Amino acid sequence: MPSGGGLGTTGASASACIYGMNKLLNLGLNNNELIDFARYGEVASGGSPHADNVAAAMLGGFVLIKSYNPVDVLKLEMPKFTTVLAVIRKSQRTTRGFITYEIGQEKLKEQMARCSRVIHAIHTKDIVEFGNAISVDHIAEPVRGAAIPSYWEIKQKVLEAGAYGFTISGGGSSVIAICNDDNSQKIEQIMKTGFNENPNFIQTIVTHNSNKGIVEV
Amino acid sequence: MPSGGGLGTTGASASACIYGMNKLLNLGLNNNELIDFARYGEVASGGSPHADNVAAAMLGGFVLIKSYNPVDVLKLEMPKFTTVLAVIRKSQRTTRGFITYEIGQEKLKEQMARCSRVIHAIHTKDIVEFGNAISVDHIAEPVRGAAIPSYWEIKQKVLEAGAYGFTISGGGSSVIAICNDDNSQKIEQIMKTGFNENPNFIQTIVTHNSNKGIVEV
């Protein structure tokens, strides 16, 4: 997996490091404390100690950051679904600084409704609704989508081919389609063809989501 | 119930009107259509055709407005809890125009997390978490709270007395405490005393939430 592909690899390594130190030094840290320490590893890659990736890497499933002071997270078990990733190396260090959070009344209301819908979809194990809810984002996607050539055209084709959802993976610039086993090959082909001209495109991967966080091997 | 008390009375009457017309004229409208028509009644009172109050009046329980074009709502059954209302007549027509939706990165992230927590709390029937999640709002509460004398001091006292949550009822200026039967009297007393000097204060009411929407009597 290339570093800088937006798949949370920096968060994964930071999490593994803190998890290991907690065990080796017998520190007895709980999950919130582990995540709070691990997120400082993200300063090296993204410039800010955000917990998004480390929380997901540490716990698996869907993790909501309830608060930062103190760090308090909620882990939800996700229903199983198929995912198609297009792994794309980022052309710039981070797009985080370009994101505007001043999105206006209508978009802010929709953004809040979509966050609510995501949680409802997880509780009702409704992957169609989950995919639908994550497929519009007024905050990160406009900025990050603009930095990925052909992003919007490919998104439209993938959704037309029956994907439940399509968005940018975390800090980007990899993208992720949520679908089922039946249409995953067709969707993989659309993404492979669509991103083929992009010099930063690495590969596509068909996989499944997981509720497992860190495991010792 | 006084009009302009922020308890959704305009939405209730608009909903009742459309519900009755649908029945009398045998229009066969579904819930989303009923709400879509009823919300135009809100233009008369609040200046905009928002669906917040009519949706709740029509369906009962907790209603999430998923989208406006077309109107699409999600009704969730709420667990039972005790509520204490302080009914306060609004001193101005509406505070809607004073609300800023440009709240900045940190507050926006917390606002999205709190919306998500509300839905999670409803699904897990966790009233403590529900109360906690609604007790911080970075959008309407700062503006509407500033228009209610002693709002913040009373809120602090009510929460210290064991209420699960405290916020402004919809468009304001009535306020609502979420609690249980055991501490509802104590909380009612704090609210009665606290708002007593407010010339617009009408009365306190101890009641329970309901999952029933419109009923024919």
Side-chain angles (χ1 to χ4, degrees):
Chain A
M1 200 64 72
S3 72
L7 289 166
T9 43
T10 53
S13 54
S15 298
C17 170
I18 298 295
Y19 181 92
M21 282 170 69
N22 179 52
K23 185 142 189 181
L24 290 171
L25 303 175
N26 202 22
L27 299 174
L29 300 174
N30 64 32
N31 280 341
N32 286 335
E33 291 166 332
L34 288 170
I35 290 164
D36 198 12
F37 283 117
R39 72 191 175 98
Y40 287 95
E42 296 286 50
V43 176
S45 60
S48 73
H50 65 100
D52 319 8
N53 294 338
V54 293
M58 198 75 82
L59 304 180
F62 183 95
V63 185
L64 173 69
I65 315 291
K66 289 172 62 171
S67 76
Y68 269 99
N69 294 300
V71 165
D72 187 15
V73 304
L74 170 69
K75 178 191 171 177
L76 299 174
E77 295 284 315
M78 284 294 288
K80 283 270 165 201
F81 54 81
T82 311
T83 59
V84 183
L85 302 170
V87 185
I88 305 172
R89 205 192 307 269
K90 236 184 297 201
S91 53
Q92 71 276 56
R93 185 157 175 270
T94 177
T95 50
R96 203 164 271 264
F98 299 114
I99 294 172
T100 172
Y101 290 82
E102 311 297 336
I103 58 177
Q105 176 176 353
E106 294 313 318
K107 287 181 177 174
L108 179 52
K109 281 182 180 175
E110 192 189 350
Q111 190 82 17
M112 292 192 292
R114 283 182 180 269
C115 289
S116 305
R117 288 170 62 185
V118 165
I119 305 298
H120 175 70
I122 294 171
H123 273 283
T124 55
K125 303 188 189 308
D126 184 345
I127 292 300
V128 177
E129 170 67 359
F130 178 77
N132 196 321
I134 66 160
S135 285
V136 175
D137 162 38
H138 297 299
I139 296 177
E141 197 187 24
V143 168
R144 292 177 170 156
I148 303 172
S150 306
Y151 174 76
W152 297 102
E153 294 85 345
I154 295 164
K155 176 170 185 163
Q156 193 183 335
K157 281 185 194 163
V158 166
L159 292 175
E160 280 167 5
Y164 305 134
F166 189 86
T167 192
I168 298 163
S169 167
S173 55
S174 294
V175 301
I176 180 169
I178 289 172
C179 55
N180 58 47
D181 284 335
D182 292 342
N183 58 14
S184 62
Q185 277 198 313
K186 188 177 169 191
I187 287 164
E188 185 188 18
Q189 200 53 53
I190 294 169
M191 289 162 72
K192 207 179 260 182
T193 309
F195 291 119
N196 196 39
E197 302 284 297
N198 185 333
N200 296 310
F201 172 61
I202 310 283
Q203 68 181 113
T204 51
I205 301 172
V206 181
T207 181
H208 294 86
N209 66 318
S210 169
N211 284 305
K212 270 193 201 158
I214 285 186
V215 286
E216 295 173 33
V217 288
Chain B
M1 201 65 70
S3 73
L7 290 166
T9 44
T10 55
S13 55
S15 299
C17 171
I18 298 295
Y19 181 92
M21 283 170 69
N22 180 52
K23 185 142 190 179
L24 290 170
L25 302 175
N26 202 23
L27 299 175
L29 301 174
N30 65 30
N31 281 339
N32 285 335
E33 291 166 334
L34 288 169
I35 290 164
D36 198 13
F37 283 116
R39 72 191 176 98
Y40 288 95
E42 296 286 50
V43 176
S45 60
S48 71
H50 64 100
D52 319 6
N53 295 337
V54 293
M58 199 74 83
L59 304 181
F62 182 96
V63 185
L64 174 68
I65 317 291
K66 288 172 63 171
S67 76
Y68 270 98
N69 294 301
V71 164
D72 186 15
V73 305
L74 171 69
K75 178 190 172 178
L76 299 175
E77 294 284 314
M78 284 294 290
K80 283 272 164 198
F81 53 82
T82 312
T83 59
V84 184
L85 302 171
V87 185
I88 306 171
R89 205 192 308 268
K90 238 184 296 202
S91 53
Q92 71 277 53
R93 185 158 175 270
T94 176
T95 51
R96 206 166 268 263
F98 299 115
I99 294 172
T100 172
Y101 290 81
E102 311 297 335
I103 58 177
Q105 177 175 354
E106 294 311 319
K107 287 180 177 174
L108 178 51
K109 280 183 181 177
E110 191 186 351
Q111 191 81 16
M112 293 192 291
R114 283 182 181 271
C115 289
S116 305
R117 289 170 60 186
V118 164
I119 304 299
H120 175 70
I122 294 170
H123 273 284
T124 54
K125 302 186 189 310
D126 184 346
I127 291 301
V128 177
E129 171 66 0
F130 179 78
N132 195 321
I134 67 160
S135 285
V136 174
D137 161 38
H138 296 299
I139 295 177
E141 196 186 26
V143 168
R144 291 175 171 157
I148 304 172
S150 306
Y151 174 76
W152 297 102
E153 293 84 350
I154 295 164
K155 176 169 185 163
Q156 191 183 336
K157 281 184 194 164
V158 166
L159 291 176
E160 281 168 4
Y164 305 133
F166 189 87
T167 192
I168 298 163
S169 168
S173 55
S174 293
V175 300
I176 181 169
I178 289 171
C179 55
N180 58 48
D181 285 335
D182 293 341
N183 58 15
S184 62
Q185 278 200 313
K186 187 178 171 191
I187 286 165
E188 185 187 18
Q189 201 52 55
I190 293 168
M191 288 162 72
K192 207 178 258 180
T193 308
F195 291 117
N196 197 39
E197 302 283 298
N198 185 333
N200 296 311
F201 173 62
I202 312 281
Q203 68 181 113
T204 51
I205 301 171
V206 180
T207 182
H208 295 85
N209 66 317
S210 169
N211 284 308
K212 270 193 202 157
I214 285 186
V215 286
E216 296 173 32
V217 289

